[in-house]
Structure formats: C-alpha cells, structure tokens
Amino acid sequence: MWQWLYKLTSPKWFYTISGQLMPWLVGLTTFLLGVGLIWGLAFTPPDYQMGENYRIAYIHVPAASIAMGCYYMMAIMAAAFLIWRIKMADMVAKACAPVGMTFTALALFTGSVWGIPTWGTWWIWDARLTSTLIMMFLFIGVMALRSAYDSETAGGKACAVLSLVGVVNVPIIKYSVEWWNTLHQGASSLSLSNTAANPPEIWMPAFFVGFGLFGFYLIAIILRTRNEILIRERKAEWVGEVLSATLLVNQGEV
Amino acid sequence: MGSFDSFSDFLAMGGYATYVWSAYAFFILVLIFNVWQPILSRKKYLKQQLRREQVQQERAQAQQKREEMTNGSAT
C-alpha cells in the first residue's frame, strides 16, 4: 500500500502507467457516454411536467458533481504538495483548474438554458447558483494566480493555499439547497420502483453519462498532467528518451 | 425512434429544441476543448523541443567546422 502510494509520486511511473491506461479509458468512456447520451436523449420517456426539456439533466447533474469532485481533488493535491512537497501533486492540481473551470461553466450554462423555460429566468442569485459561480471564479483565480508567478514552486504554493481556502465553498454548494430556501431544487431521490416519480428508466442513463463523464474528466486531467511532466522533467534522462522517440516519430507532422 | 415518433420529432424536442440542443452543444464544446487544448500544447512543446535540438546540432556542427579550419591552418 505505502509502496504503491510512493510510486504514485513518481512522474516517470505516472507517465508510463497513464500511457498504458489511456486506450482502455478512452474506450470505456466512449462506450459509457455513447450509451448514456443516446439512451437519455432518445429513449427515456418525457417528463410529465417539463416535457422533453428535462433531458438537459443528463449532462447538467454529472457536470456539476464532477466539477465539485474536481475541486476536492485540486484541494487534496494542494494539501499533498504543501505537506509532503510532492511535485506530482502540484502537477495534477495545475491540471485540475482549467478542467474544473470548464465543467463548472457547463453546469452553469446547462442550468441556465434549463431555467429559461422551467423557472422563467436564466439566472437568480440563490445560494446554489451563487456558490457554484464562486467555484468557477475560484478555478479561474487559481489559474490566474499561477500565471502571475515566474517560479514554479512559489506559484504552486500560492495556488495550493488558495485552493485549500476555497474548499469551504464545495460543501456549501452541496448543502445550499437544504440550508437555504433556493429556487434550485434539492437532490432528487432515486427510486428502484418503476411506479415512483424518479424510476430507474429515468435515472439509469444519468449513471452511464455520469461514469462516462468521470472517465472523460480523468482523460482530461491525465492529458494535461502528462504535458506538465514532459515540460517540468525535461532534464531527466527518461524524459529525454521519450522526447527524442516522439520527436523522431513526429518529425514529419510537426 | 425510442420515445419519439420520427427523427424530426426528435430534433424538435417537443418545442424545447433551442434549450436542449444548445445545452448539448455546449457539452460537446467542453469535451472538444478539454482534449484539443492539451493535444495542441503538446504538439507546440514538441515542435519547440525539435527546434531547440536542431539549433544545438547546427551549433555543434559549426563548432566542429571551426575547429577543423583552425587545425588545418596550423599544420
């Protein structure tokens, strides 16, 4: 267990394993997203109140949960970087910010276009929407902060502190619909009964899209982290070998 | 197909086409951005490394030539 954890902190190990894992991850993600999206868009029955419009939920809910998960991941990586000085953790944290930002933007956008016909407004300053917007600004802030530093380590530390301060916002997003009176609805309970308001035939596709989008999220993080490894570890011997091998292959196209 | 009577019904989304399809279009955009951007920056980085390597090689060759010339004049 500890040995495995220790290995995780090695950029070389991460680069090798993620490279081997990638084709499987891409295949599984494509399958899950394909099934979930086609199922959710074309095969589930319309909602009795919202009609076909509720199909936005199949991307809105997974996008929002993964955006929150992404913030937690960034904060955990930030803590690992601050406490144990693990360079690898900082590289993953750096990858989290832009990915989390786009997922939060997706949650906000899909929520807005969903709100226009159902709520009669695309935006309201209720607790759920506002705290989610703050999360997007935190992601943007972390990216801006990093770009303001010339030193990789100093920038990483500053970003880690901001990420850890901002993590308080994530449970606020989660429980905002319970703590305050919001226009945004609370979490729908999933029922196993087919006669319930939210039967399996409605929420099953969301699981496919959810796991598919999680797979995609991992792919996005891995792609960015691998780039970061090649840049930061360019003086390491093994990176030199990887670079010259890739350069030979790509000499024609780049 | 599925819950819809026809493909045009599917596209119409029961009158919610603008909302549903714009949400899904943004979704696709986010997917494309998150793959395309790191791939592009990887290519850019590799290109930069290739150029650096070429410059280094040229410098080494020029250095070698200079050494040969000075050696030649000496003898």
Side-chain angles (χ1 to χ4, degrees):
Chain A
M1 170 74 185
W2 289 112
Q3 205 180 3
W4 187 78
L5 270 178
Y6 179 73
K7 269 187 184 165
L8 267 178
T9 65
S10 144
K12 185 185 179 182
W13 191 86
F14 184 96
Y15 194 90
T16 320
I17 295 297
S18 64
Q20 288 167 350
L21 207 68
M22 203 48 129
W24 298 96
L25 206 52
V26 170
L28 193 66
T29 300
T30 316
F31 168 75
L32 288 170
L33 276 183
V35 170
L37 289 178
I38 293 169
W39 191 354
L41 269 174
F43 289 92
T44 52
D47 185 78
Y48 83 106
Q49 276 180 327
M50 291 185 274
E52 312 293 353
N53 198 44
Y54 87 100
R55 296 183 196 280
I56 294 174
Y58 292 119
I59 46 178
H60 175 73
V61 178
S65 351
I66 292 168
M68 282 153 71
C70 182
Y71 199 97
Y72 276 134
M73 183 157 149
M74 185 167 81
I76 292 167
M77 291 301 144
F81 178 59
L82 281 184
I83 298 167
W84 295 296
R85 303 285 152 88
I86 301 168
K87 271 192 288 175
M88 201 58 238
D90 185 45
M91 294 192 224
V92 176
K94 187 179 177 183
C96 282
V99 177
M101 194 270 279
T102 56
F103 273 70
T104 316
L106 177 61
L108 288 172
F109 181 86
T110 51
S112 282
V113 293
W114 193 357
I116 297 166
T118 35
W119 291 349
T121 181
W122 67 275
W123 187 261
I124 179 172
W125 294 100
D126 87 353
R128 174 56 73 82
L129 277 66
T130 309
S131 51
T132 309
L133 187 68
I134 289 173
M135 181 165 75
M136 190 166 91
F137 288 151
L138 280 167
F139 278 127
I140 296 174
V142 167
M143 282 192 283
L145 187 61
R146 194 180 286 273
S147 68
Y149 279 87
D150 288 328
S151 151
E152 204 79 71
T153 327
K157 272 185 203 162
C159 285
V161 172
L162 178 58
S163 305
L164 285 171
V165 171
V167 80
V168 67
N169 183 49
V170 188
I172 293 180
I173 297 177
K174 170 98 173 76
Y175 294 107
S176 57
V177 287
E178 291 170 27
W179 293 341
W180 296 289
N181 193 4
T182 53
L183 185 55
H184 193 288
Q185 64 159 85
S188 299
S189 53
L190 308 178
S191 172
L192 285 173
S193 155
N194 274 320
T195 52
N198 197 8
E201 66 170 332
I202 293 291
W203 57 254
M204 275 303 278
F207 265 69
F208 278 82
V209 180
F211 283 113
L213 205 58
F214 184 70
F216 179 82
Y217 159 73
L218 291 180
I219 292 171
I221 297 287
I222 288 173
L223 283 177
R224 282 174 195 273
T225 309
R226 281 166 70 85
N227 284 355
E228 197 61 26
I229 291 174
L230 287 187
I231 294 169
R232 286 201 205 174
E233 304 284 299
R234 62 179 173 275
K235 282 177 186 142
E237 202 178 326
W238 73 270
V239 175
E241 282 163 20
V242 169
L243 279 180
S244 52
T246 340
L247 288 178
L248 276 178
V249 175
N250 288 358
Q251 213 147 19
E253 53 170 308
V254 286
Chain B
M1 72 191 267
S3 145
F4 298 92
D5 294 330
S6 66
F7 189 67
S8 54
D9 260 12
F10 171 66
L11 289 181
M13 276 290 154
Y16 293 109
T18 328
Y19 310 110
V20 174
W21 294 122
S22 63
Y24 276 81
F26 197 88
F27 172 73
I28 300 293
L29 270 180
V30 165
L31 294 196
I32 292 173
F33 172 79
N34 274 311
V35 172
W36 179 75
Q37 212 232 346
I39 289 180
L40 202 77
S41 61
R42 183 189 162 93
K43 274 198 172 159
K44 213 167 146 191
Y45 175 68
L46 287 177
K47 211 176 190 173
Q48 188 191 325
Q49 290 298 312
L50 187 69
R51 205 173 298 144
R52 189 168 293 167
E53 215 160 84
Q54 278 169 348
V55 168
Q56 271 172 357
Q57 268 175 7
E58 275 162 25
R59 267 195 202 144
Q61 277 169 359
Q63 178 75 24
Q64 213 177 352
K65 222 175 206 176
R66 225 174 295 137
E67 274 168 17
E68 273 169 20
M69 274 169 73
T70 48
N71 286 346
S73 60
T75 46

